[in-house]
Amino acid sequence: MKTYHSKNFHKYTFCLWNEVSQADFEVQKSHFKSKSGSEYFFTEDGVYRISNHWGRVANCRWRLVPLTDNKNQYTKVGFAHWNDFLPNDENAKLFFIQVDWEQKTVDFFHKDLPFYDGKAVLRNAAETAKVMKTIKQVLNEENWAKHLEYEDLDVIRKEIVESMVATDLSFNEIKRKYC
């Protein structure tokens, strides 16, 4: 497995950064400032990033795991250990999808994360984004089900989403089972 450090962590990587409180972060002179204004502080264990944008960052996919759901604060501080960085290749099947049924949200993760159980289908970045968009519609809308036969919308919703996560079948192929 590739080793990441201050010279290569920003090249084609996936990472889940953990938000840290700005009050707990000792502001110092940054080691690097990007063209977009993000600042980076390197330590022996990892890197701090102060930024107002997360997600797709150049050729990387970096997501911030927030301390709270408070979205009022635009600039956030994140920390990642060097071993939190994983390789990212837009065409390789590296990503799997997970659904939070209570929150009705969907997210993607890298296959090399320790909690990947091998049950969800692996997809490339574009396929993952497309399936996630459809899953969000199934979770939050009802018009997709108007021509289907079912007794309980929540039951069919769960069955369809679980099939989309676990198989390569298209949404239309899965829906045909309920016509």
Side-chain angles (χ1 to χ4, degrees), residues 28-42:
Q28 54 199 334
K29 185 166 172 35
S30 63
H31 294 106
F32 179 77
K33 187 170 185 172
S34 71
K35 291 177 186 175
S36 62
S38 298
E39 295 186 67
Y40 298 87
F41 305 83
F42 307 123

Side-chain angles (χ1 to χ4, degrees), residues 58-111:
N59 53 37
C60 298
R61 293 191 179 268
W62 292 348
R63 198 163 61 244
L64 185 66
V65 179
L67 286 171
T68 65
D69 288 333
N70 183 1
K71 301 204 186 299
N72 293 344
Q73 185 180 351
Y74 294 107
T75 300
K76 302 216 178 230
V77 180
F79 178 78
H81 291 94
W82 295 122
N83 61 2
D84 292 338
F85 291 91
L86 300 167
N88 181 41
D89 175 341
E90 295 297 305
N91 299 312
K93 294 187 178 206
L94 298 175
F95 305 108
F96 68 97
I97 295 171
Q98 273 192 344
V99 176
D100 181 333
W101 294 101
E102 288 181 23
Q103 300 296 319
K104 287 192 172 185
T105 59
V106 59
D107 229 325
F108 71 99
F109 298 92
H110 196 282
K111 70 179 181 90

